[in-house]
Amino acid sequence: MQVIDLRSDTVTQPTPAMRVAMAEAPVGDDVYGEDPTVNQLQEMAATMLGKEAALFVSSGTMGNLAAILAHCGRGDEVILGNLAHTFLYEAGGISALGGVHSCQLMNQPDGTLRLEDIEKVIRPDDAHDPITRLITLENTQNRCGGAAISVEYTQVVGDLAKAHDLQLHIDGARIFNAAAALEVPARALVEPADSVTFCLSKGLCAPVGSVLCGSAEFIHKAHRIRKQLGGGMRQAGILAAAGIVALEEMVARIGEDHARAQKLAAGLAENPGLQIDLEAVKSNMVYGAVDASTGLTMSAVVAKLDELGVKVGATGERSFRLVTHYWVDDQAVETTIRAFAEVMPKG
Ligand code: TLP
């Protein structure tokens, strides 16, 4: 049975072209800065994102952590969303390892933070207060349905940050999904930001890795922090080679995943046992819920779908997330819609 894995785009396997590139990659000691393939990937990434420099890191989590530690000292404060991945799912690394204090603002359904909310929490110069140092946005905003944050909004937040002498970091784990959804170049989405992390190992299919981009001075600082975190990876060109293929071949096709997410959502919306907000599907994610009237819990649905070869992720007692990616084709979308129909109680 061929398994359809919709739990995340992190499950993507490397493409055949990536495996060839990995086998053939010239490598060196990246801690000495001597891995030509890592250097090539970093240069490509910096150029694509319109930044001076870039740093290959092991994961999105490490990219965000290194960025926030580079921007903030101990006791400094970062303003971020209450649904931000960094707040919810990065094991509290910024406070555990960096002593960075977080101020969480409510993410709006479109993934943004309200500007007046941001302005309200920027601290005055008062010895009682932590020093506000950084604002972080996430694009696409995973827990807001994979919403894409616009160039215009990002610019306004960038201007606000500048006016208050703050830095702006973007967790752009899926920045190329955002770019495809909004039909703008990724570099335009991060232009107002001082730093951005993006992931090679999600919709872009590389097996491992993310890239942190920013000014040369910032990346110099982040490079030392990556070393402190144990992220100096030696002959990492083996991994970076797949990242180069990801940037060359996978960025342009990512919109296909969005079209399939729309199809999947539309098919599931016809199922009376499911609640799907079609309007909320903006990129490669479909969030939904099993209607209480079915009497089914999500864990039961997950188990039944699993038997049919469809893997989905529960996000709550009745809610779920489905993520489309390169290895989910049109037929997989149809099969998934049929599998849900089979699992839901009839009539
Ligand atoms: N997200 C994963 C899980 O951790 C939830 C997923 O399946 O979506 N930023 C964002 C917006 C992310 O969605 C993720 C991973 C990360 C950062 C962290 O990336 P990794 O897993 O490479 O550390």
Side-chain angles (χ1 to χ4, degrees):
M1 178 168 56
Q2 211 193 328
V3 172
I4 300 165
D5 197 341
L6 294 152
R7 289 173 300 167
S8 183
D9 46 11
T10 60
V11 304
T12 44
Q13 298 272 324
T15 63
M18 287 177 185
R19 290 181 188 269
V20 171
M22 291 171 80
E24 293 176 355
V27 294
D29 191 327
D30 181 49
V31 173
Y32 296 156
E34 289 175 2
D35 189 305
T37 311
V38 170
N39 291 341
Q40 188 188 341
L41 171 67
Q42 290 176 165
E43 277 163 34
M44 274 179 82
T47 304
M48 278 175 90
L49 278 273
K51 300 295 178 200
E52 270 176 9
L55 186 69
F56 184 48
V57 290
S58 64
S59 65
T61 300
M62 186 183 276
N64 288 332
L65 181 58
I68 294 173
L69 267 50
H71 286 303
C72 302
R74 298 187 73 79
D76 287 352
E77 189 168 60
V78 53
I79 298 169
L80 79 183
N82 67 329
L83 298 177
H85 192 276
T86 298
F87 177 61
L88 290 178
Y89 304 125
E90 293 174 14
I94 58 168
S95 57
L97 304 174
V100 178
H101 192 57
S102 71
C103 171
Q104 310 103 44
L105 297 177
M106 183 129 46
N107 277 108
Q108 302 303 300
D110 66 358
T112 62
L113 306 175
R114 289 173 54 199
L115 297 171
E116 47 284 30
D117 288 352
I118 299 177
E119 267 190 302
K120 240 184 265 169
V121 297
I122 296 173
R123 310 268 189 171
D125 183 10
D126 182 323
H128 294 85
D129 293 7
I131 298 169
T132 308
R133 194 72 76 185
L134 176 69
I135 303 171
T136 296
L137 299 175
E138 185 177 307
N139 200 5
T140 61
Q141 226 305 334
N142 185 343
R143 292 307 304 263
C144 295
I149 312 280
S150 71
V151 172
E152 295 72 21
Y153 172 81
T154 310
Q155 187 61 57
V156 176
V157 176
D159 292 345
L160 182 67
K162 266 205 189 72
H164 292 272
D165 207 15
L166 306 179
Q167 305 290 301
L168 174 62
H169 172 69
I170 296 180
D171 174 359
R174 297 184 181 84
I175 199 69
F176 294 108
N177 292 91
L182 297 166
E183 298 180 358
V184 295
R187 57 187 297 151
L189 288 170
V190 302
E191 202 276 326
D194 299 285
S195 60
V196 54
T197 311
F198 74 86
C199 294
L200 298 161
S201 62
K202 298 190 167 62
L204 300 184
C205 281
V208 179
S210 292
V211 187
L212 174 60
C213 306
S215 69
E217 192 188 344
F218 169 81
I219 291 298
H220 182 72
K221 208 169 168 192
H223 184 257
R224 182 184 298 266
I225 293 168
R226 184 185 71 172
K227 187 77 182 113
Q228 290 175 328
L229 296 172
M233 291 191 288
R234 308 296 177 184
Q235 287 73 36
I238 296 279
L239 302 174
I244 292 170
V245 177
L247 293 182
E248 283 174 346
E249 296 182 4
M250 307 305 281
V251 169
R253 60 146 308 278
I254 213 160
E256 292 174 27
D257 301 336
H258 301 188
R260 293 201 175 95
Q262 293 285 345
K263 264 198 193 168
L264 180 59
L268 295 177
E270 287 180 13
N271 187 322
L274 296 175
Q275 295 163 356
I276 306 283
D277 178 2
L278 291 178
E279 272 300 295
V281 181
K282 302 290 189 198
S283 58
N284 66 334
M285 295 184 183
V286 179
Y287 279 85
V290 174
D291 201 86
S293 65
T294 61
L296 288 170
T297 62
M298 200 53 219
S299 54
V301 174
V302 168
K304 287 181 183 190
L305 288 170
D306 203 55
E307 283 169 23
L308 299 174
V310 178
K311 287 187 183 297
V312 305
T315 53
E317 210 188 322
R318 292 214 153 71
S319 55
F320 59 85
R321 180 187 73 162
L322 311 176
V323 187
T324 54
H325 52 75
Y326 181 69
W327 298 103
V328 176
D329 60 12
D330 289 331
Q331 207 191 327
V333 168
E334 294 304 325
T335 307
T336 303
I337 294 166
R338 275 201 308 276
F340 266 95
E342 207 171 316
V343 164
M344 291 295 137
K346 315 279 175 289

